[in-house]
Amino acid sequence: MGLFTWLWDWLLYLFWSTEMDVTIVGLQNAGKTSLVRVLAGQEFTVDSVPTVAFNKKEVKKGHVSIRCWDLGGQVKFRTMWERYCRDVNAIIFVVDASDRDAMSVAKDELHSLLEHETLNTIPLLVLANKSDLKEKLSVDEIIDALDLKKIVHREISCYGVSAKEETNLEAVLQWLVARSGKH
């Protein structure tokens, strides 16, 4: 990186930096922690330890600093999702695009979460992770399986991503940065 680029980035961060909070939820083994690690510039690892309660990781994109709250997806942690989703700039719901059997539970958990009035205006980004696998659902199939068309009165987007292959992660960051001044 050239000196001018470094200086420009530093000045942007110093004088025009923006901070935002996002909460990342989804069922266990969807790849939430791996996704956050890769977004934060770390290496993808196959042997991620399941998240107990939550992890917090900071991701920088230009002049935007994104605090990511990565919540555990096990049944015992789902009751705390709503509390960590309040007052964030965006909710990211991650599903394992290759786990067809989990879609029904994922749909129920997502719709249950979004029923809370405290979350009414918060944009939702659904990420179909593990899109690099052969036996995966397409984005359209994910939209149908999660009944996303029934979610109204809120901004919603859905992308197929792969933490392992780093597919579409730049689009995810751009989507988040575009919402940094909202909510």
Side-chain angles (χ1 to χ4, degrees), residues 127-144:
L127 298 180
N129 192 24
K130 305 181 186 181
S131 66
D132 55 301
L133 300 178
K134 287 188 183 210
E135 298 297 320
K136 68 179 183 304
L137 293 167
S138 69
V139 169
D140 288 338
E141 290 172 314
I142 296 287
I143 290 169
D144 289 341

Side-chain angles (χ1 to χ4, degrees), residues 57-123:
K57 192 73 91 181
E58 194 151 325
V59 175
K60 299 230 186 251
K61 173 66 176 166
H63 67 285
V64 179
S65 178
I66 306 167
R67 281 184 300 275
C68 299
W69 297 93
D70 167 23
L71 303 185
Q74 299 87 339
V75 173
K76 63 184 172 184
F77 299 123
R78 294 178 196 164
T79 57
M80 65 185 222
W81 287 1
E82 184 268 339
R83 187 174 354 142
Y84 282 89
C85 288
R86 293 180 204 156
D87 300 319
V88 296
N89 297 85
I91 298 169
I92 300 175
F93 190 80
V94 181
V95 295
D96 178 344
S98 70
D99 191 352
R100 294 174 187 270
D101 296 336
M103 287 302 150
S104 174
V105 174
K107 177 186 94 169
D108 292 344
E109 292 295 339
L110 174 62
H111 286 267
S112 176
L113 175 66
L114 297 179
E115 285 176 0
H116 293 277
E117 281 188 34
T118 54
L119 310 180
N120 278 348
T121 61
I122 301 173

